[in-house]
Amino acid sequence: MSKSLLQHSVFYEVLFPSQLAEAADQGEFNLLRCVAFAPPQHLIFARSPLVVFDLETTGLSPEYDQIIEIGAIKYIDGVAVNEFSTLISCPFPLSKAIVQITGITDSMLEGQPALAPVLEEFLRFINGSILVAHNASFDSSFIKAA
């Protein structure tokens, strides 16, 4: 796909798996603002798995708040082929504001899995995919912190 075809991309923020072979950190993300993006020659953009994802969190700080829900859909060639959706337990009560914003309540999080195993499963789900999110920098900051 030529650069000119992507100059008016609908993607504002797209997360791409690191293209650096020497990168030691397997969970590294590269955030690109797609105004005019030309994919690397070895990446066939149209056929690469594309994962659209969203997180719900207990607040705005990746340092002090936590992920309480992950939802994602994987597309290949424009067709939804798989999805990932789970609530995540939280060690502290949710604020009224977060309950109002997310619709998630403390009782919904009771008995849900802990963040660590969910995150491992999510990273396997997205492995090798191009990631797309409404607010990718926010969501990726929570993934990186976790």
Side-chain angles (χ1 to χ4, degrees):
M1 188 173 283
S2 74
K3 185 175 179 179
S4 63
L5 292 177
L6 289 172
Q7 285 180 347
H8 302 290
S9 172
V10 297
F11 303 122
Y12 175 67
E13 294 180 320
V14 181
L15 290 171
F16 291 90
S18 174
Q19 300 302 316
L20 304 173
E22 66 274 9
D25 185 12
Q26 301 246 336
E28 182 178 336
F29 293 110
N30 290 333
L31 178 62
L32 302 175
R33 294 190 186 282
C34 283
V35 175
F37 172 71
Q41 291 292 329
H42 67 281
L43 179 65
I44 301 171
F45 188 75
R47 296 210 173 135
S48 295
L50 183 74
V51 175
V52 179
F53 76 103
D54 188 36
L55 305 180
E56 297 299 339
T57 66
T58 59
L60 300 176
S61 170
E63 186 177 350
Y64 300 108
D65 294 305
Q66 122 165 15
I67 300 167
I68 54 173
E69 182 180 32
I70 301 176
I73 301 174
K74 184 179 286 187
Y75 294 89
I76 298 178
D77 291 330
V79 177
V81 296
N82 203 353
E83 65 180 58
F84 184 98
S85 178
T86 187
L87 293 170
I88 300 163
S89 67
C90 185
F92 50 86
L94 301 176
S95 70
K96 289 181 182 180
I98 291 302
V99 171
Q100 205 168 21
I101 291 167
T102 66
I104 298 170
T105 64
D106 291 324
S107 63
M108 293 168 66
L109 300 181
E110 288 176 17
Q112 298 298 328
L115 179 58
V118 169
L119 193 56
E120 285 181 27
E121 186 179 348
F122 180 65
L123 292 176
R124 282 192 299 274
F125 179 81
I126 65 173
N127 186 37
S129 300
I130 296 169
L131 304 179
V132 179
H134 171 70
N135 191 350
S137 56
F138 176 84
D139 290 347
S140 67
S141 70
F142 272 85
I143 292 171
K144 287 177 185 179

